[in-house]
Amino acid sequence: MKLLEKEIRYLKGVGESREKLFRKLGIKKVEDLLWHIPRKYLDYSKLKKIKELSDGEIESFVGTVCGKPTEIETKSVKIIKIPVEDGTGVVTTVWFNQDYIKSVLKEGEVFCFSGKIERRGFYIEVKNPEFEKYDQNLLHTGRIVPVYNSTEGLSQKVMRNIVNNLLEQVEGQLEDVIPPYIRQKYHLSEINFAMRNIHFPDNMLSLSLARRRLVFEEFYLLQLSLLLLKESIEKNEGVKVQNAKENIEEFKRLLPFELTNAQKRVLDEIADDLESSKQMNRLIQGDVGCGKTVVALAAAYATIKGGYQVALMAPTEVLAIQHYNESKKYFKNGINVRLLIGSTPKREKEVILKEIEYGLCPMVIGTHALIQEDVKFKNLGLAITDEQHRFGVIQRVELTKKGNSPNILVMTATPIPRTLSLVLYGDLDISIIDEMPPGRKKILTYAVDESFRQRVYNFIKKQLDEGRQVYWICPLIEESETLNAKSAVEFAKSLKEGFFKDYNIGCLHGKLSSKERDKVLQEFKEGLIHILVSTTVVEVGINVPNATVMVIENAERFGLAQLHQLRGRVGRGEHQSYCILFNQSDSEISKKRMIAITKSQNGFEIAEMDLKLRGPGDLFGTKQHGLMNFKIADIVSDMEILKEARKAAEETIKLKLVDKTLMERINKQFYNNIENIGL
């Protein structure tokens, strides 16, 4: 429908003034509003007679305005009372500072009201109730009423009216992308019914049917996208690397340490992929510190020895530099490794681009800079993406387009429960490094409240005096009026002016320029900074063996998987390391989460626990990573529907049911949803 593609301002009831407010909610086009699913529902559907209204309950009733308004004025508030009756009793409606109500609730007119009842004998009162004229098209009362995520200036009434206008305009015209065979087999309601009833349900059964249908659709399109991507990759004849196994063995001999059995197993899988004529498309999953990078570098070494180029893309400059330094350490036999990041000087960048284009640079490590148009490879044989959840599928695909079906290797240090990863990384073969290198000491982890602060400060001072360094993580960059959480900038200042005035304190956050960030990190690595106060920008890619303490403020605000990632910044040297979590919440879930992180050092166990306790939005720590950014589906509570949708997607491809309409929607889903999910 062309209407759905239009910008939101063209929809009846919106206009230019409200367009800005809708944009705050991420609603830019009319279709975005259609998928702006209510966050909850109020059941006002049971209409009662006034004599049946119960004290303290939220009730709905129909009544006629039966008297003139009475007004009471105080210094701070103006109270207006208007009586309403239905033949069985009278309710006094009470309004605070709402003068307009006198001209709306006119004597003799009939309205439907919903609100909390206060009853004292025969006297019944309801304060600031929802109300509307009583007719057959109730939206705000007398039915199951939707409640939307909104913003100041867009009241619930305005939102409902605009959504209802939209639904009336598209009624019966929405095109169903799910093939009839799949709809019938999986007992799915039709799209027009589903959309009407997800916004304005006729009853609870209709709401349940609508929700199931729309959840299924989100999962189904996601799974189709992944399966079609996998299918297209499997058709490709990939870069075949001669003698990959021998070259990997040669790389192992260059290492000053023995690889773990898990690393060796994964390298065998990679070697088989590289030597086959099929394009490799593999994900390496593993905990913080399990040695994924060295495995990726072994694959890179084999590819380079086979006569091809390698690109390694990392999400941040910090991590790209870390990988660059690691590769220089292992590739000591004349392999020209280059670093290409946003802050690379122009003249140096021009030289690197020429080297890449003419094949003089066998390996380049960088950030998004690698997928810019001016980067041209002579013969790219392997594309490696690190911390895959920070990228979208599209960015990974863009990197592979730099060559002729290069092999693809994807790494993530964020463990995902096995069953979930099989579904979410449906286009990838999965290898898991489930073993840690020997000799790595357990990081002692403690969850404490404010009463322990001075003891923690004393302990940190002792560590500093012994020559160690400290990470101190805060959830915010600057002070927030709305969030009761510590800010990195203010907290660094308070430490410097207070207990730790004799030590050098640095502050690191995302608003610093890359040059400022690099300077702070370099000083921390060189030991010039004793305490590094930071936001989660240190989550990955920083290796300072002398740092032995990780302190995390407002630990309750982070996902367990992210706490585990942050904890992995310490424990990298010979000294015993510690992680101290300041938990400001008294909630039972928060307490359970803190117990889980203090007892386990296994990332996969922690991910499972986080999924159960907090749900999918926090699997990668903060929702800003966008993992599983579905409009309505919930990866945990809707797991059974997800499994059904996976089967349905497989059947759809097998039975060749993908028509033009479905393909168009898959493409839209692929760009709008999967990229957000960041698979």
Side-chain angles (χ1 to χ4, degrees), residues 7-24 27-28 153-154 162:
E7 292 190 3
I8 193 71
R9 69 172 175 270
Y10 295 112
L11 188 63
K12 183 183 172 185
V14 180
E16 290 187 18
S17 59
R18 283 181 177 153
E19 181 186 26
K20 291 176 185 173
L21 299 175
F22 275 105
R23 282 183 172 269
K24 282 185 181 178
I27 299 170
K28 297 173 185 175
L154 281 178
I162 292 172

Side-chain angles (χ1 to χ4, degrees), residues 44 46 48 52-55 57-61 113-117:
Y44 293 161
K46 296 177 181 68
K48 287 189 175 181
E52 299 169 341
L53 300 177
S54 301
D55 182 40
E57 298 295 321
I58 293 174
E59 305 269 39
S60 297
F61 60 95
F113 299 89
S114 295
K116 190 174 182 180
I117 302 300

